[in-house]
Amino acid sequence: MPSPEAQPAPVDVVVIGSGHNGLVAACYLARQGLSVEVVESDTVLGGAVSTVERWPGVRVDRGSSAHVIIRQSGIVEELGLAAHGLRYLDCDPWGFAPAPSPGDAGPDGRPLVFSVDLDATCASIAAACGQDDADAYRRFVAVWGPRSRAVVASFGRRPSAGGLVRSFWPLGAPGEGRTRTPGGELAVDFLGSGDALLDRWFGSERLKAALAWFGAQSGPPMSEPGTAAMVGWVALLHDVPPGHPVGGSGGLTAALRRRLEADGGRVVLGDGAARLLVDDDGTGPRMTGVETESGRRVVAGAVVAACHIGVTRRLAGEDAPPALAEANPPVGNGFGLVVRALTDALPAYPGATPEESLQGLQLLCTDRAQLAAAHGDWGAGRVPREPVPLAMSFSASDDTLAPDGSHVVTIWGQWYPYALADGSDWDALADAEAQRLVEAVDRFAPGFADSVQRLYVQTPVALERELSLPRGNVMHVEMGLASMFGFRPTPALSGYRVPGLRGLYLAGASTHPGGGVSGNSGRSAARVVLGDRSRPARARAAAIGSLRRAGARLGRRPS
């Protein structure tokens, strides 16, 4: 850790937080020639996109594992991250839902397998749910493919009215190969619930449950308004599937760091921001840098706070302008619980091959009633009476994660409250709840529980401690309709700037487009910073041009 006396030269921009959005912002700024320093309180790079050696020779993700949105954003290609060591393994098949009666000769004995290959996916749906649902799914992908691409475009732009129009206007305009979609129909679909959308399109509860469980990964239950697009995202996975970086999720942030350093930027771990430095030059408060936990001062004309909005507010202290001081977006009562299991075998699902079941997301749910019950328990401040697991076992395709004969299986259980209504202590509950999730997987993959050698449990409280996620919310701020787009984190702060404090910018999951591994908020924040830096130059150029034109007009006047 640098000593307080070792004061580096001023930089153009300091970024608070080495999560993937902070690093993405830093990379876009540095490639434009700006000097950038990233300060991070953790000794591990990457925030929730990081991987550590949890047991000897075993690499385990601390947060995310499957990367979905960033693979649609173009950021990996724009920053040339493959040249800096990032290599994704495609999750294909990207989704697997087990049969409710494996071994049965009828449809209930057949699993659902979602592949990039749409024909193969529809064949799986036809075998498990019937030809009508297979045909409906093909139509669903055709309709929701363009819609989901519009969502991708909106995620990559500032959440202004103009940006949203540019993203979604083509859906309502006739063009080659498509007909105009009435605005009312679009509004009903986009503002409606995922459950209502699924009920309109499909008949099989098994199929609806699998797609609902996929859509629910962003947080809200599919019964909430505005969740239809979360289900519609599956259409894009038939073009580009989720991916897992070789060596673990932290492969993304490690590549971002190498890209940043190649452009002259730097990252300092273990010495995060302690407070923002603010001055008033007579034109209003402006950022002058940050003071770190060691007392070191990093002088900069701009600060990108790629951390939770509540942390940004605390760092500003008495200098927080009203828009920041009064910001209190909904954080919610926790999000989920993660079990990282070291096993001596992979899950074995009856009636399915490892190639079908282990490459992507194992959506272990056969009825939406299970999801509704789990969310209801969460709302009442209880642990779910029937845990609903999502399992991932990327060591099946990545032998860098564990030694021969060992595997890493991640089990995600959603809707676990941070604060329990009966006042129970999460540290006392952790082992028992982890075992219940292991048993929930074992019901679909008999023998899995016997394969478990070690467990690492991340309760909502543990997620807060380890990853600095207030109340264990991995999305920072709730992902409901009222907290998205121009409402995220608040309407006053939705443009990535902090009104009333010049030079302070926001990035990270607290801002548009929200949580998940996308990098979009980091790129958008960097674009705003670059635009603001070029504005004075543009203003000077415009003023000079006006003077020259005025002079020319004066020179042409008759004497």
Side-chain angles (χ1 to χ4, degrees), residues 9-15 23-38 259-266 299-304 503 505 525-534:
V11 296
D12 293 315
V13 184
V14 60
V15 176
L23 291 171
V24 165
C27 286
Y28 276 97
L29 294 168
R31 79 170 187 167
Q32 294 300 314
L34 275 62
S35 56
V36 183
E37 179 172 323
V38 178
R259 168 68 206 236
L260 173 63
E261 291 174 342
D263 286 331
R266 65 183 236 143
V299 177
V303 173
V304 177
Y505 301 86
R527 288 171 175 168
V528 173
V529 173
L530 292 169
D532 286 353
R533 287 181 64 87
S534 66

Side-chain angles (χ1 to χ4, degrees), residues 243-257:
H244 181 76
V246 172
S249 187
L252 170 61
T253 45
L256 286 166
R257 180 179 187 172

Side-chain angles (χ1 to χ4, degrees), residues 511-550:
T511 65
H512 173 75
V517 182
S518 79
N520 278 304
S521 95
R523 178 173 58 183
S524 293
R527 288 171 175 168
V528 173
V529 173
L530 292 169
D532 286 353
R533 287 181 64 87
S534 66
R535 188 171 290 113
R538 292 199 302 269
R540 286 194 298 272
I544 292 170
S546 295
L547 288 172
R548 286 175 176 169
R549 289 191 293 273

